[in-house]
Amino acid sequence: MALDQSFVGRTYPPSRPYEVAREKIREFAEAIGDDNPAYTDAEAAKALGHPDVIAPPTFVFTVTFQEAANVIRDPKLGLDYDRVVHGDQRFAYHRPVRAGDRLSVTSTIEGIKSLAGNEILDIRGEVSDAAGEPVVTVFTKLVARAAEAAEGE
Amino acid sequence: MTAKIAYADVEVGTELPSRTFPVDRARLVRYAGASGDFNPIHWNERFAKDVGLPDVIAHGMFTMAEAARVVTDWTGDPGALVEYGARFTKPVVVPDDDAGAAIEVTAKVAKKLDDEARTVRVDLTVTSAGAKVLGMSRAVVRLA
């Protein structure tokens, strides 16, 4: 079933702020095995010109993907969530995410396409801080596979 | 931002130090916990095979996180990253054995974008078991 094209351009209300914790950054950095001191040592981060420890570049996806999941679970959109795989991912950074940030995500459906039975959904997440300043723009392409088994991600 | 690599010192074709990142089941469980992505295709072999996958596969975002390290280790300052993106072309299949899988990453400067902003585009090649797992994997970084 083709998705409702009228959802293109729809923007969802900003998410509840996510507070970036120093220990959460450490946990994520350790999970990816990255020992860059900018993620765990405030002095090392300051030496690079950051006010506090910063998060690895893909950390912010852990914040935005919850929002993207809410969008694709919108029952009116009619997407079969069980068939969804991650197609593309892109980040455009205004500045690195850092400890103490209170991040809010505003998600917009940028595109809906049908291709060979697959439904392709482009979601843009604008991530801003407590002052409303932009931090990173997160572009996520999700693919709901045609009925047969999925491959990818 | 203080990248340790100077814009003037790189040319199109400059290679970044390549890396191989091991990934086993324990690593995926740990990443699931840290990222909040508990999709069972990343830890449950029975479920993964039920949905047509050869075995448990790594999170695409885990692969992207590992590949980014080639760029952030090169610049020193992860804050030098301006843009980063990839397409998930093939899964990284992670068997339940002692070896697990390996993610192999090479990267080179593909273009000098802006002499004022000192930005360059880095193209990454990311493979596992001989297959390209990320496509169009590119980063834009601001150098010193």
Side-chain angles (χ1 to χ4, degrees), chain A residues 24 27-28 30-36 38-39 47-50 54-55 57-58 61-62 65-66 86-93 95-96 141 149-153, chain B residues 1-2 27 30-31 33-37 41-42 51-53 57-62 64-66 69 72 76-79 81-88 90-91:
Chain A
K24 189 66 196 175
E27 180 191 14
F28 187 87
E30 287 177 351
I32 62 171
D34 194 335
D35 60 2
N36 192 314
Y39 304 143
L48 295 170
H50 306 294
I54 61 172
T58 61
F61 186 78
T62 69
F65 102 98
Q66 302 288 359
H86 203 169
D88 278 55
Q89 183 58 45
R90 189 160 66 84
F91 303 92
Y93 302 95
R95 66 162 173 84
K141 188 186 292 287
E151 193 189 17
E153 205 213 359
Chain B
M1 323 292 153
T2 359
R27 179 58 60 187
R30 191 168 185 167
Y31 183 79
S35 69
D37 183 347
I41 60 175
H42 305 307
V51 298
L53 293 165
I57 63 171
H59 304 72
M61 289 308 300
F62 175 80
M64 251 188 108
E66 297 306 295
R69 292 169 59 190
T72 55
D77 181 5
L81 200 59
V82 178
E83 268 189 59
Y84 180 46
R87 173 167 299 167
F88 304 107
K90 285 263 196 271

Side-chain angles (χ1 to χ4, degrees), chain B residues 7-57:
Chain B
Y7 181 78
D9 292 345
V10 305
E11 292 167 25
V12 170
T14 297
E15 290 185 12
L16 282 62
S18 56
R19 296 278 301 271
T20 298
F21 302 102
V23 47
D24 61 10
R25 294 288 180 86
R27 179 58 60 187
L28 294 185
V29 169
R30 191 168 185 167
Y31 183 79
S35 69
D37 183 347
F38 294 101
N39 189 327
I41 60 175
H42 305 307
W43 52 269
N44 184 329
E45 188 168 324
R46 174 173 50 83
F47 184 92
K49 287 179 173 168
D50 271 359
V51 298
L53 293 165
D55 205 334
V56 160
I57 63 171

Side-chain angles (χ1 to χ4, degrees), chain A:
Chain A
M1 188 185 73
L3 297 179
D4 185 348
Q5 283 290 333
S6 73
F7 275 73
V8 175
R10 180 169 301 207
T11 295
Y12 290 77
S15 64
R16 185 170 55 86
Y18 175 102
E19 187 163 340
V20 179
R22 189 173 279 105
E23 294 305 327
K24 189 66 196 175
I25 292 176
R26 176 191 297 275
E27 180 191 14
F28 187 87
E30 287 177 351
I32 62 171
D34 194 335
D35 60 2
N36 192 314
Y39 304 143
T40 52
D41 178 349
E43 293 311 312
K46 282 175 188 163
L48 295 170
H50 306 294
D52 203 332
V53 292
I54 61 172
T58 61
F59 173 83
V60 71
F61 186 78
T62 69
V63 182
T64 62
F65 102 98
Q66 302 288 359
E67 275 309 295
N70 289 339
V71 170
I72 62 176
R73 285 194 175 103
D74 183 342
K76 295 194 218 68
L77 179 63
L79 196 66
D80 182 354
Y81 181 67
D82 288 341
R83 290 189 292 116
V84 171
V85 296
H86 203 169
D88 278 55
Q89 183 58 45
R90 189 160 66 84
F91 303 92
Y93 302 95
H94 299 281
R95 66 162 173 84
V97 168
R98 56 185 179 238
D101 270 337
R102 289 175 64 83
L103 301 178
S104 191
V105 188
T106 303
S107 298
T108 299
I109 296 181
E110 288 217 302
I112 296 176
K113 271 190 300 198
S114 285
L115 203 65
N118 297 328
E119 304 279 3
I120 299 162
L121 196 64
D122 284 300
I123 300 172
R124 186 183 81 242
E126 293 290 353
V127 180
S128 53
D129 63 18
E133 294 296 323
V135 177
V136 51
T137 306
V138 180
F139 301 89
T140 301
K141 188 186 292 287
L142 299 169
V143 182
R145 298 276 176 171
E148 55 271 28
E151 193 189 17
E153 205 213 359

